[in-house]
Structure formats: structure tokens, C-alpha cells
Amino acid sequence: MRKNKAVVALVMLIMISAAAFSQATTNSPYSKYGIGIIRPQTFPQNFAMGGTAIGIRSDRDIGFLNPASYSALVVTTFDVGFVSNNLWLKDDNQSQYKNNPYITHLSFGVPVVKNHWGMSFGILPYSNTGYAYDEIVDDPIAGNVSFYNEGAGAINKVYFGNGFAARIDTNTNVSFGANVHYLFGSISHDQKAIFGDLPGGFNIWKLRDFSASDVGADLGMQFQKTFRDTSGNRNRKYVFTLGATYGLSADVKGTTTTLTRTFTGNIDFGTIKDTVEYIEDEETIIQLPSEFGVGMSLDYTGDESKWLFAADYKSGNWGSVLSEDSLFTYRNNFGISAGAQFIPDYGSTKYLGLIAYRLGFRYSTSYLTINNTDFSEYGITFGVGLPIKRSENTYPRFNIGMEYGSRGTKDNGLIKENFLNFNVGITINAVWFQKRKYD
């Protein structure tokens, strides 16, 4: 009975999350282009370490970015995260502040065969679109033309993955894994052009709605080596992990409906005059490129303290994707990140000694070139992992992270964005399938 209730609860949570993830969760003008702002897809404990995850192997955390790490799980794990994104936008003329709260993920991990086979499934956003801005263009023929631009939507990802590990010797193991994911969602764009200097002229209103639905996959591997203290102290050890990931390229299938009308009046009140274009459910393909990542970590366990250092490198072959919009092109991008975690006294009975302290940084180039201008993004992160009082079969932890960073540039009419992200998450380790000795 308990298992059935748990399964029903999991299904309900995923259905609720699917609806929540479909909402617009950004106010960035850069989300107008391509498939929007691509989310980092990192969980709270990795978020505070600069987003590093490819070379990290944990027995109590879900390593979504490298499915090979699922094989390390020893307990059933539930992980949920939430972000409050504070965004300051600035160009040469004005500045603006926006706030966007959203759920980052809902994920479960299960050890099928402890230390050898683990699986994970969940839902998280892949990309988000959300913008609203206006601009005035001085056209030599039409005079001043006011453009009003709005967009909203999201592409989400439901995934299921497995990881398998094989022991080479008592101190060495190698693992392989794969995620299969289903991408779905919709993005809408709404643009109005008001010809203010043409009395009696018709204005233009264009609506474009895109819906996506397709599958994809990514692969991962990890090599782990343990170096023990040669002086005979079995508590002291170094664990080195090297990881690699590969995301397969995909042609995401979808449909686009385009409606273009003329109208008279202004942005607030107008009268439709004619339908210029109406194309319903036109078959559309969005190309996603192959992606490669490599990462490493070094985990040190001393007599009392524990240290973890990690670094990742990722690249995307976006230059192979063709753009049908004259305003932007795709380009190959890359990202680097590094982070550290410190637990003062992992065996302590004092609460402060059990807290995990984290910090990191990340830097990445954009996959877009807009107005012939390249731009980049960086973030500085820090946070803590707070253990919560355990119950009979559960071991909860509360993760808090903060990130300050910047995206974009004011060159060539673009926007400079500064952001402050607050990330909170709960990780619950539970022994769900333990047999009772007594009824």
C-alpha cells in the first residue's frame, strides 16, 4: 500500500511540474532568438559549485549531467529545486528590473543494484522564452515606426536514465550511462508595427506560435580511482574521478502557426482590417547540435574534514545549425566552470561541523551572434548544504545557493544584463524498499 501511494504521489508531482515548467520564467530580450535562454540544468548542490557535475560521483546526489553517476547511488533519492532570478537590464538609454521565480527540476534516483546499477527520472526546463520591449525605428519612407515585441513559452525535458558500473580492482571502477529524454513545449511571439507618420495607413500585427515534441539522448562515462593513505590510516583517502559526456544532435520536430493581420488604431485599441497571411500547423524542425563535455573532481577525506574540488569544460557544435533569421546566426560555443566544497567535520555531533560550504564560478560564450555581435555570460556562486533532522528512514538536506553574474553587451544596440539568482533545493535520501524484520 505504501509503495502504491508513493507511485501515485510521484505521478501527480510530475504532472503538476509539467504545467508549472510551461510558464514563461525569464524577461530577457535574448530569449527572443533561437530557442530562447538555454537553462544550465544543474541541481542545487552543483549550482553553488559553479555548475560543475560531469566529473562528480556521489552516492546520495543525482548527477543528471552525467548519467554514468547514477550507478553510485546507494539510497533512493528525491531532489527538487527552486530559483528566484533577479534581473537588471540596461542599454544606452534606460534600465529595468525584473524578477522571475521558477522550479528548476523535479528528479528521482533509485539504486537498482547498489554500487553497480542506478536509474533516475524527472522533469526540468530545457529553455525559456520571455520578453516584452518596444523600439522606435526611423524609416526613410514610412517615418517613425514603433515596434512592440512580446514572447513567452518554454521547452521542457522529461528524462529517464540508467548508469552501470564495473569494478576493475578494489580501488578502481569505470561506469557508463545514458539518458533518454522527451522534449516538449511551446513558444509564442507577438509583434506589432505601428506606422505613426502615415495617417490612414494600416499597421501590422504578426503572431507566431511554435510547438515542439520529440525525443533525444545523451551519453556519459566516468573513471574513478581511490588512493589510500600509505601510513595505515584507512580514514584518509583521495578519490579522483574523470568524466565525459556526449549529447547527440537532433532534429526536433514541431509545428508553427503564423497569423499576420493589418489593423488601424494604436497598441491599446485597434480594428482588424485584413488577414495578410495564415499558415496553420506548418511542419517545423529545430536543429539541436551535438555537445561534448569533460570534467574531473578530486575528493579528499581526512580524519575530520572532507574536501571536494571539481572542474568542467563543455562545448556545443551550434555553428553547424543554420539560421533562417537575418537578425542572428548560430556559432560554436563553450563553457568552463570550477567549484569546491568543504565539510569541516563530517563525523561531528555538532551541527556547524556537518554543514557543506560551497563556492565556484562559470563562464560561457553564447550560441548566438546578434547584429554581428558575439557576447558571453559569467557567474560567481556560493552556498551551503544544511542537514535536516532525520526521520526513521529518511535523511533530508536543505541546499541554498546564490549567484551573481552578467550576460550580454551594450554594443550595437544590444542589452547588458546583470543577474542575482537565489537557488534553494531539498534533497531527501530514503530507504523505501527495506524489508521489515517484525510486522
Side-chain angles (χ1 to χ4, degrees), residues 29-30 33 327-329 366 368-375 411-412 414:
Y30 292 112
Y33 306 98
L327 294 177
F328 72 92
T329 58
S366 173
L368 298 170
T369 295
I370 303 173
N371 292 345
N372 296 316
T373 304
D374 299 333
F375 56 96
D411 295 342
N412 294 330
L414 300 186

Side-chain angles (χ1 to χ4, degrees), residues 257-290:
T257 295
T258 304
L259 174 62
T260 305
R261 290 173 166 176
T262 58
F263 69 100
T264 58
N266 54 43
I267 190 66
D268 299 314
F269 180 81
T271 302
I272 300 298
K273 289 298 183 180
D274 195 9
T275 297
V276 178
E277 178 186 37
Y278 179 62
I279 304 174
E280 184 178 14
D281 294 336
E282 180 183 21
E283 291 187 3
T284 307
I285 291 178
I286 290 184
Q287 294 178 290
L288 297 182
S290 60

Side-chain angles (χ1 to χ4, degrees), residues 16 70 100 102 197 200 202 212 251 283 291 318 336 345 362 396:
I16 293 171
Y70 302 155
N100 305 283
Y102 63 94
D197 290 345
F202 287 173
D251 291 334
E283 291 187 3
E291 296 179 313
W318 284 96
I336 57 173
D345 191 351
R362 64 180 180 90

Side-chain angles (χ1 to χ4, degrees), residues 41-46 52-53 56-80 105-111 118-124 159 161 179 222 397 399 426-429:
Q41 304 179 59
T42 54
F43 291 4
Q45 56 271 24
N46 307 108
T52 53
I56 295 178
R57 185 173 176 82
S58 172
D59 60 357
R60 296 178 185 273
D61 291 313
I62 300 171
F64 166 75
L65 286 181
N66 192 335
S69 67
Y70 302 155
S71 60
L73 290 171
V74 297
V75 289
T76 300
T77 301
F78 165 73
D79 207 311
V80 62
H105 67 280
L106 178 66
S107 187
F108 301 86
V110 179
M119 68 171 59
S120 178
F121 60 94
I123 183 172
L124 65 164
Y159 79 92
N179 283 324
Q222 288 183 327
R397 285 169 288 140
N399 297 294
I426 295 178
T427 303
I428 300 176
N429 300 128

Side-chain angles (χ1 to χ4, degrees), residues 387-397 428-429 431 434:
I388 305 173
K389 186 177 180 180
R390 55 169 291 186
S391 62
E392 181 183 359
N393 292 319
T394 60
Y395 306 82
R397 285 169 288 140
I428 300 176
N429 300 128
V431 183
Q434 181 173 280

